[in-house]
Amino acid sequence: MGDEPRAPPLRLGSAAPNFKAETTLGLIDFHEWIGDKWAILFSHPEDYTPVCTTELAALAKYEPEFTKRGVKLIGLSANTVETHGGWINDIDEIAGIAMTFPIIGDKDRKIAFLYDMLDHQDTTNVDARGIAFTIRSVFVIDPKKTIRLILSYPASTGRNTAELLRVIDSLQASDKHRITTPVNWNPGEDVIVHPSVKNEEAETLFPKLRIVKPYLRYTPLSKEALAASRV
């Protein structure tokens, strides 16, 4: 696989490539598994790595919050499903709760290659300890199987679970309410009226419209309204 060209680049708005894979919960067809939900696909360099373990333990704790938002979680690690089992036992112990979402076994890194989750060298590249350089990628995929967010972290840096929830809240609210979210936005804070909404319509849609500049218009969005955005 190291001699193959890189997979076509995936961008925001790209269709999420489909695949079939063995997971800790059995064989899946990725698109069928997503169904009419949102999904977060995230990769890990290898089983039994410390940063990954903390990430999965956090996701196990936060999974009910993702479920409330109609989001399914699925991980990928460059090992076999069989080796995932012992690692999951460790994660359950650390999290204090059973992890219920699946982890893909991608020992040959075909899915990592498909989603361009590998480093800039090649698909056989490993470090001095033999750990595959599968980067920490995150793909947020909507029910139409469209990629809505891509994040890439270096192997040394753990991801922020709360940020993933914040992004999901923003995307779902934007889809439903014709708004965007400003810098450092958190649920319950004011949002920005989408530029495509003209002032006349905005005043009808958003009775508490606050115009700072012609191109910067705020409106409240309560946590209750945000919760109603969830699928």
Side-chain angles (χ1 to χ4, degrees):
M1 182 177 280
D3 295 328
E4 292 183 17
R6 293 182 73 89
L10 296 176
R11 298 183 174 90
L12 301 186
S14 294
N18 196 23
F19 57 82
K20 289 183 172 63
E22 287 290 347
T23 79
T24 49
L25 298 181
L27 180 67
I28 66 162
D29 175 289
F30 186 50
H31 283 189
E32 288 181 5
W33 177 83
I34 294 173
D36 61 355
K37 303 294 186 182
W38 290 68
I40 298 180
L41 169 65
F42 48 93
S43 61
H44 299 280
E46 194 175 47
D47 293 354
Y48 297 103
T49 47
V51 176
C52 299
T53 302
T54 64
E55 290 178 327
L56 287 171
L59 285 167
K61 290 179 181 178
Y62 275 89
E63 188 176 13
E65 289 299 319
F66 287 101
T67 301
K68 282 182 194 175
R69 292 159 171 80
V71 180
K72 301 174 81 171
L73 303 173
I74 186 165
L76 176 147
S77 187
N79 298 91
T80 65
V81 169
E82 289 72 28
T83 65
H84 291 344
W87 187 33
I88 289 171
N89 290 337
D90 287 354
I91 293 163
D92 291 348
E93 179 185 343
I94 292 164
I97 188 172
M99 191 180 80
T100 60
F101 55 85
I103 301 179
I104 296 164
D106 192 33
K107 186 178 181 181
D108 58 8
R109 285 167 279 179
K110 286 183 179 177
I111 299 166
F113 180 78
L114 181 65
Y115 273 78
D116 200 17
M117 295 173 173
L118 301 175
D119 77 356
H120 73 282
Q121 295 185 48
D122 62 39
T123 54
T124 62
N125 187 49
V126 295
D127 71 6
R129 297 164 296 168
I131 297 176
F133 276 105
T134 307
I135 57 178
R136 298 183 197 284
S137 295
V138 180
F139 293 86
V140 173
I141 300 165
D142 70 16
K144 295 179 181 177
K145 318 302 183 289
T146 300
I147 295 172
R148 301 293 298 275
L149 176 81
I150 301 172
L151 294 171
S152 295
Y153 289 75
S156 60
T157 304
R159 287 163 279 213
N160 188 318
T161 305
E163 172 64 3
L164 293 179
L165 285 169
R166 191 186 79 94
V167 167
I168 290 291
D169 284 338
S170 173
L171 289 170
Q172 292 182 349
S174 297
D175 285 355
K176 187 175 180 69
H177 295 290
R178 299 172 71 186
I179 57 90
T180 58
T181 55
V183 62
N184 298 331
W185 173 84
N186 284 298
E189 297 176 350
D190 287 359
V191 296
I192 297 171
V193 177
H194 195 279
S196 66
V197 182
K198 303 300 180 187
N199 274 346
E200 230 176 82
E201 185 182 10
E203 288 167 359
T204 302
L205 291 173
F206 309 108
K208 295 183 179 179
L209 181 71
R210 177 167 59 91
I211 301 174
V212 176
K213 295 288 183 183
Y215 55 85
L216 179 58
R217 301 164 298 167
Y218 287 95
T219 186
L221 182 68
S222 67
K223 289 184 177 181
E224 292 74 20
L226 181 63
S229 308
R230 296 171 184 164
V231 291

